[in-house]
Amino acid sequence: MHAAQENVKSGSTWGGRHAVVVGGSLAGLLAAHVLAAHVDRVTIVERDRFSEAAEPRPGVPQSRHTHVLLEGGQTALETLLPGFLQELQEAGAPRVGIPADMVQWQNGRWFRRLPASAHYHTGSRPQLEHLVRRRVLANPLINVREGTDAVGLLGDASRVRGVLLRERGDAARAESRPVEADLVVDASGRSTKAPQWLTALGAQAPHEETIDTGLAYATRVYRDKDGILGTDALGYYIVPNPSQTYGAVVLPLGDGTHLVTLSGLRGDEPPTDGEQFAAYAKKLPHPLVFRWLSTAEPLSPVSGFRRTANVRRRYDLPGRRPAGFLAVGDALCTFNPIYGQGMTVAAMNAVALRDVLAGPRRTPTTRRVQRALLSSSRQAWDISAGADKRMPGATGNAVAVRAADRAAHWYLSRVQDRYPGDPVVGAAFRSVLSLSAPLTAVFTPSVARAVLFGPPIPTPTEPPMTREEPRPDMYVGQKTTGSCASATGTGQDPVG
């Protein structure tokens, strides 16, 4: 039997003993929560030390930047942690309705501010992670080793049997200690060292698919001195595309402040100098954001982020890889963070892990579990990678546009032409982008008729500062269900 085909629940003591999760961020916490239903104890290994407050930490370098929880992630988190969305609301995380609550520009057009067909939570990443951590660590079966690095795996090419750990700090740096486990889950994020660890065991590292646009972004906290944005909207949103590569998003944090992120491509990255940051907004296709920054009060330094490549590690493919090892979250599939998918996919990974381990009909081998995890991130990858491969200067081994991509791109380009003004097409497309419906949502009869035969509906010529009043017939015929399909090149809205 191939090692990777060994029953995940077998091992020497699986079903009774110990699982180790490397990384205590969102993906790791939720994986530990799921695994606690199948083992005697779970150990989370975390390089940082957790604060009692909801604060950024070094191990999550993008935590100071804009994050959103898409509707697919909201559903997943509520399934895993019942009542969580109520906790999030009580903590003050804003709930932003799209498109009603955003002044949005994309592809040369302002969006009609129609009644919301999707909602995003826009509170800070540390706030959401803090709430998840509090819920997960209340389980007595889950323990955390803080201030500790995982530096390798125990076992061989046929099976992983634990991890090598080393406490952080100069005095302990030279000493590593083995910790045995029946399952090791890599949730260490985009900086994962697992491919090198597997090679050291004599196993094969996964094939990596990469697409890198060279996008960079910078973020700063502001307060509107007037308490509003000059509109009844909650934020601004300037979306980049291949012909207009600058972006901006202004979103509420829930405490009377707004998080502002500006983005650009390699060679023209947004600055981290405070004065130059606001001036960079002049590059945007409309002065709306620059004018607001010129009057708003900055409350924080500017934080920059440059590591935005899409990377998918194909642990699901055949190869010499050990049983007893899984990867989740960014350690499995890393998205350009500007698409706002990371937290949502981490939650969807955990739901997939729960479902495949609990499935009564099929034995959850390591490879089968890993395939389920990858499948839960596939639509997000197709959206972000499909859009990024069309950006100017994109590099990587997955940038080639296939013949099938061209056919899908033709239809989806027509979807995007109608998306800003058509309520039915817009609702369907937003359901796909928010990972709450499969791509088939934009192929239902009512949507297809509008896409194939209807002209684009006119949209505002200037920023729409007030919402449109709803009409009873606005969403007649809309349906957003169906089976999953590839979403290559959908042009996802980058929201953080």
Side-chain angles (χ1 to χ4, degrees), residues 80-205:
L80 295 163
L81 304 171
F84 181 80
L85 294 182
Q86 180 66 30
E87 292 182 25
L88 195 60
Q89 181 178 347
E90 292 172 353
R95 186 170 181 260
V96 177
I98 308 297
D101 292 335
M102 295 293 288
V103 178
Q104 179 174 337
W105 183 99
Q106 184 174 358
N107 292 327
R109 300 172 68 191
W110 294 102
F111 278 54
R112 294 172 63 192
R113 291 182 53 201
L114 301 165
S117 65
H119 292 83
Y120 302 157
H121 280 286
T122 66
S124 72
R125 164 67 180 264
Q127 178 193 54
L128 186 139
E129 190 174 298
H130 175 75
L131 293 174
V132 171
R133 185 165 65 242
R134 186 174 65 185
R135 285 283 297 270
V136 170
L137 298 188
N139 188 334
L141 300 181
I142 301 174
N143 299 301
V144 182
R145 294 187 62 159
E146 299 176 55
T148 302
D149 282 321
V151 296
L153 297 171
L154 302 176
D156 52 36
S158 64
R159 186 168 189 89
V160 167
R161 302 186 184 280
V163 290
L164 282 170
L165 302 182
R166 183 172 62 199
E167 293 183 9
R168 295 177 64 81
D170 292 338
R173 187 164 296 279
E175 182 180 0
S176 60
R177 299 180 181 179
V179 173
E180 294 185 355
D182 304 288
L183 178 70
V184 174
V185 177
D186 178 22
S188 59
R190 64 176 59 239
S191 60
T192 176
K193 298 295 190 298
Q196 296 93 304
W197 296 346
L198 291 170
T199 301
L201 294 182
Q204 287 179 294

Side-chain angles (χ1 to χ4, degrees), residues 141-337:
L141 300 181
I142 301 174
N143 299 301
V144 182
R145 294 187 62 159
E146 299 176 55
T148 302
D149 282 321
V151 296
L153 297 171
L154 302 176
D156 52 36
S158 64
R159 186 168 189 89
V160 167
R161 302 186 184 280
V163 290
L164 282 170
L165 302 182
R166 183 172 62 199
E167 293 183 9
R168 295 177 64 81
D170 292 338
R173 187 164 296 279
E175 182 180 0
S176 60
R177 299 180 181 179
V179 173
E180 294 185 355
D182 304 288
L183 178 70
V184 174
V185 177
D186 178 22
S188 59
R190 64 176 59 239
S191 60
T192 176
K193 298 295 190 298
Q196 296 93 304
W197 296 346
L198 291 170
T199 301
L201 294 182
Q204 287 179 294
H207 170 67
E208 293 187 356
E209 299 170 333
T210 63
I211 300 173
D212 186 2
T213 65
L215 181 137
Y217 56 90
T219 301
R220 196 177 198 185
V221 179
Y222 282 82
R223 175 180 288 117
D224 189 326
K225 294 179 182 179
D226 297 326
I228 59 173
L229 296 172
T231 171
D232 59 4
L234 299 178
Y236 303 143
Y237 191 14
I238 307 296
V239 183
N241 58 51
S243 62
Q244 193 293 114
T245 58
Y246 299 101
V249 60
V250 179
L251 288 175
L253 285 174
D255 58 358
T257 66
H258 284 78
L259 207 57
V260 179
T261 295
L262 304 178
S263 65
L265 299 187
R266 66 169 68 87
D268 195 6
E269 299 90 347
T272 55
D273 174 85
E275 293 185 6
Q276 295 178 18
F277 177 80
Y280 187 85
K282 292 180 180 179
K283 297 175 181 287
L284 295 167
H286 191 278
L288 175 72
V289 174
F290 172 72
R291 290 172 183 167
W292 181 77
L293 290 177
S294 299
T295 61
E297 177 188 5
L299 299 180
S300 74
V302 181
S303 300
F305 195 75
R306 300 291 185 267
R307 298 180 59 194
T308 61
N310 303 278
V311 181
R312 181 161 63 170
R313 299 175 178 90
R314 300 301 303 270
Y315 288 103
D316 60 308
L317 297 178
R320 192 175 65 257
R321 297 189 194 91
F325 175 85
L326 299 171
V328 298
D330 279 358
L332 173 63
C333 196
T334 302
F335 311 98
N336 184 340

